[in-house]
Amino acid sequence: MSESGLLLSTVHRTAETLGSIHNPFESYVESGWNYMTDNYSEFAIATWISVILHELVYFGLCLPGFIAQFLPFMQRYKIQQKPETYGGQWQCFKQLMFSHFCIQAPLVAGIFFYTQLMGIPYTYDKMPRWYVLLAQMLGCLVIEDTWHYFVHQLLHHRSIYKYIHKVHHNFQAPFGMVAEYAHPAETVILGTGFIIGIVLLCNHLVVIWAWMAVRLLETIEVHSGYDFPYINPLNLIPGYAGARFHDFHHKNFNGNYASTFRWWDWLFGTDQQYKEFVKQEEKKAE
């Protein structure tokens, strides 16, 4: 057997092994999903349920960080020792409500028309296997991270920074809700990276919802203002940037432009100031 044939055979056997893993909750998931598709129209599922899911996931993920500010023992994990103000959090929340329902919600409505145009299925029996979905999420992360790095850096150009991206940098010490606190134009511009992954890799509605949850988890974590180096499972992802990496971007305003991974900043040297900062902090700790 040739090397290419051996590789394909190995991949096939691996896929069969992964596919044989039983999910003990599968019957409940299938029952719930079928109830949804039997009782709601595809338009309602793609628009209203998508909006509701976004709000539940977004603020659900923000909640631990919000509670942490009231817990003294959590402050040891806070990256910048600057307490959040109630005024700042309220300002952030109001802007988020405008962005979520006046900017993002109309864009979410486009999911329905896209799925109809491309024949994207909604039914449970067409849902991709979990390992395929996992690979799709990784692909979406890489695509979005690439778009984010180059466009984010462009938004920092002195000729346009004060008009658009400066809004997001109103919070030098970020907290979870700051993740989507942005100028409406930035919401659309950087959000395009999210959409590209869907256009290239989506083959079921669940891919859109899973990608939304993964992206929210990542962006809220890096904006949380807290770093849990030994218990955060996201740090197990090779090349994952994390909260400290992006927190420095808010503190320093320049460098560390990527959203998820470190490699673009490493490749173009835009993480140099961060590396120097880390060395200085390590010397102080000695």
Side-chain angles (χ1 to χ4, degrees):
M1 182 181 294
S2 64
E3 290 186 5
S4 60
L6 181 61
L7 177 61
L8 289 173
S9 177
T10 302
V11 170
H12 179 70
R13 287 198 302 270
T14 302
E16 285 185 334
T17 301
L18 292 173
S20 65
I21 297 175
H22 177 66
N23 178 4
F25 303 102
E26 184 173 1
S27 61
Y28 300 103
V29 174
E30 182 177 3
S31 177
W33 191 275
N34 287 336
Y35 177 86
M36 177 186 71
T37 54
D38 290 342
N39 290 276
Y40 297 95
S41 67
E42 291 187 349
F43 177 80
I45 293 171
T47 54
W48 303 119
I49 295 181
S50 292
V51 170
I52 292 170
L53 281 176
H54 177 271
E55 295 307 299
L56 290 175
V57 173
Y58 190 87
F59 288 106
L61 291 172
C62 287
L63 185 59
F66 178 79
I67 295 174
Q69 67 182 312
F70 303 109
L71 304 175
F73 71 90
M74 291 293 290
Q75 301 317 302
R76 74 182 70 175
Y77 301 106
K78 190 166 175 59
I79 301 169
Q80 296 188 53
Q81 295 301 317
K82 295 181 180 179
E84 295 88 357
T85 65
Y86 295 121
Q89 291 177 91
W90 178 240
Q91 173 192 345
C92 182
F93 180 77
K94 289 189 294 182
Q95 175 67 20
L96 284 174
M97 289 297 95
F98 171 78
S99 178
H100 284 185
F101 293 104
C102 296
I103 306 298
Q104 293 186 31
L107 294 175
V108 167
I111 292 176
F112 169 73
F113 299 103
Y114 171 74
T115 57
Q116 299 302 303
L117 178 66
M118 303 302 295
I120 302 296
Y122 287 57
T123 58
Y124 185 85
D125 62 300
K126 298 292 185 180
M127 194 179 294
R129 302 303 296 267
W130 67 267
Y131 53 88
V132 175
L133 186 61
L134 187 64
Q136 289 169 311
M137 295 303 99
L138 179 59
C140 286
L141 281 170
V142 172
I143 292 167
E144 193 282 331
D145 184 69
T146 302
W147 174 270
H148 193 102
Y149 175 81
F150 292 102
V151 178
H152 183 194
Q153 191 169 7
L154 179 63
L155 290 175
H156 272 267
H157 192 277
R158 65 181 63 185
S159 64
I160 60 174
Y161 171 78
K162 64 181 179 180
Y163 300 110
I164 301 176
H165 193 52
K166 186 178 179 180
V167 173
H168 184 65
H169 277 278
N170 282 344
F171 296 95
Q172 191 174 357
F175 48 91
M177 281 197 299
V178 175
E180 290 188 344
Y181 178 86
H183 189 283
E186 179 175 338
T187 299
V188 175
I189 294 169
L190 289 183
T192 301
F194 176 89
I195 297 171
I196 294 173
I198 294 175
V199 171
L200 295 178
L201 299 174
C202 182
N203 59 354
H204 193 279
L205 176 69
V206 75
V207 175
I208 299 174
W209 285 356
W211 172 218
M212 176 186 70
V214 168
R215 176 62 181 138
L216 289 180
L217 173 63
E218 180 276 326
T219 190
I220 291 170
E221 194 273 330
V222 301
H223 286 93
S224 67
Y226 290 87
D227 181 38
F228 305 98
Y230 303 111
I231 61 175
N232 183 355
L234 293 175
N235 290 328
L236 298 175
I237 301 174
Y240 183 68
R244 285 192 177 275
F245 191 82
H246 191 72
D247 198 277
F248 179 79
H249 173 77
H250 275 263
K251 181 180 180 179
N252 192 61
F253 292 102
N254 292 306
N256 293 12
Y257 296 111
S259 59
T260 306
F261 302 105
R262 295 173 180 260
W263 52 59
W264 287 116
D265 284 288
W266 171 80
L267 185 63
F268 290 99
T270 47
D271 61 350
Q272 192 58 42
Q273 292 182 18
Y274 176 67
K275 289 178 179 177
E276 293 173 358
F277 171 77
V278 171
K279 288 180 181 179
Q280 292 174 2
E281 292 298 302
E282 289 175 348
K283 287 181 179 180
K284 290 179 183 180
E286 291 178 354

